[in-house]
Structures are given as C-alpha cells and as structure tokens.
Amino acid sequence: SQKTIHKSSNNKLLIKEGRDHCILIPENILFIKVDEPYCRIHINESKYPKMVQTTLAHLQSKLPDYFFRIHRSYLVNLKFVTAWEHGRGGTLTLHNGQTLPIAARKKKEFQRLIRLLQA
C-alpha cells in the first residue's frame, strides 16, 4: 500500500517495513531495486536492504532529485556513482564496487545529470 512511506519536513523518509517503522535519510540510500511487490532499499554501510511494499515511482516521488531511475528496476542515488561504462546501455559502478545496469534509453539523461552533479 502507498501508506508505507511518508516524507517529513526535513526530507527524512518514514517507512513501514512489516510491523516496524524506521526513518531513512535519503543521502544514505545507495539504490532501490524493484522486487515485486516490494522495493528493496539498499542503504550505504548496511548489509541488509529494507523491504517496503510500494512502487518505485512512489518512492521516487518522495526522494530528492539526485535520485535517478536508470532502469525500470533501479532507482539510484547519483551521489554514490563513481564510474560508468560507455556503450549502448552499459552499467554504472557505485562507491562500494557494486554495478547496476543502465537502460539504453536512460543513458543520455543519466550522463547529463551526472555531469551536472559533478560540476
């Protein structure tokens, strides 16, 4: 249900994971992966992702604009991107060494945004 996520005035996200509630700071989110009907929220320095029953589009609407949907299954925090492949679609690498796919149709926009962020 969409009621599992609330955005507070200071940009923190209150999420409901099962019976538990927790507060996430967007800056600490590495990426989010769709795992129907859940989204797995991968947190920097955390071993286990948070599981939330919601859509990626709904999560994206609650997050700052440095989050970009690189693929139908992935929303990534651009601040953690350290490298990306040139090629048709390709992949990007996060600061922890993890690689994620970039959809070919998202590549130009991704490169434009990452350059703006690095500037």
Side-chain angles (χ1 to χ4, degrees):
S1 95
Q2 300 299 346
K3 294 182 185 71
T4 54
I5 296 159
H6 302 282
K7 187 175 176 182
S8 67
S9 57
N10 58 1
N11 259 346
K12 290 180 181 171
L13 290 184
L14 175 66
I15 65 164
K16 188 170 183 276
E17 186 183 29
R19 291 182 175 177
D20 301 329
H21 286 81
C22 65
I23 292 169
L24 297 181
I25 298 163
E27 286 83 25
N28 293 339
I29 297 172
L30 282 171
F31 69 95
I32 302 168
K33 182 180 191 296
V34 173
D35 191 5
E36 297 283 353
Y38 297 94
C39 282
R40 291 178 188 263
I41 303 174
H42 293 261
I43 315 285
N44 191 27
E45 310 287 330
S46 174
K47 211 171 180 175
Y48 304 103
K50 300 284 180 198
M51 298 282 285
V52 183
Q53 197 165 355
T54 189
T55 65
L56 204 53
H58 181 69
L59 271 170
Q60 187 170 11
S61 74
K62 304 284 185 192
L63 288 165
D65 58 9
Y66 51 82
F67 281 86
F68 181 67
R69 191 145 179 190
I70 54 167
H71 185 280
R72 63 186 161 80
S73 299
Y74 293 95
L75 181 65
V76 70
N77 182 341
L78 296 175
K79 292 182 176 186
F80 285 114
V81 175
T82 57
W84 60 93
E85 256 181 47
H86 296 280
R88 190 169 160 267
T91 58
L92 61 78
T93 305
L94 298 173
H95 81 105
N96 65 354
Q98 185 149 18
T99 59
L100 301 176
I102 304 172
R105 63 189 166 73
K106 296 287 193 171
K107 190 150 190 187
K108 267 199 169 81
E109 181 69 358
F110 164 75
Q111 289 178 342
R112 186 183 74 77
L113 289 171
I114 202 93
R115 285 192 182 100
L116 280 175
L117 207 63
Q118 310 296 328

